[in-house]
Amino acid sequence: MKSLLPPYPFAPQTWTEIAVAYRALAEHDPSLQYLADITESIRASGVADLLAGRVATHVHDLCVTSMPISEPPVEVIVVRTPDSLWHRARPGRVVVEHLTNSGRDDKIERSSDEAVPLFWRFCLEKFGVVRSK
């Protein structure tokens, strides 16, 4: 099986840095508001310290892993945008994907207004993380 996981360490950003980036992106392109909404839900979740994230800046994808961060390759949940290089979201849609070490990746595409609950569904199923607030 082939995995799309990179062989280098996961370099997290703070949730504040990520929130600022996605707020600015949503102001420029309101169709990507779901990225800001997911980030704000993480910050307000009560479990943000159980998740690490980063923005794939050239494609705007949100990459999230569980804490503590393991050695590479690191399993991630990726929230895909229409600019994504892999499994792009169609306009008005979101793709949430779990990339695994085994290559048994999982992805679901839904309307972008379902992005926040879909993200948290993946956090529960893949990392065992449930928001407390």
Side-chain angles (χ1 to χ4, degrees), residues 21-33:
Y22 284 142
R23 270 189 247 125
L25 182 63
E27 286 176 15
H28 176 70
D29 184 352
S31 73
L32 299 176
Q33 179 63 43

Side-chain angles (χ1 to χ4, degrees), residues 89-106:
R90 294 176 289 161
R93 310 283 288 175
V94 63
V95 171
V96 178
E97 183 171 24
H98 178 229
L99 301 178
T100 68
N101 288 316
S102 70
R104 296 178 190 252
D105 301 342
D106 186 16

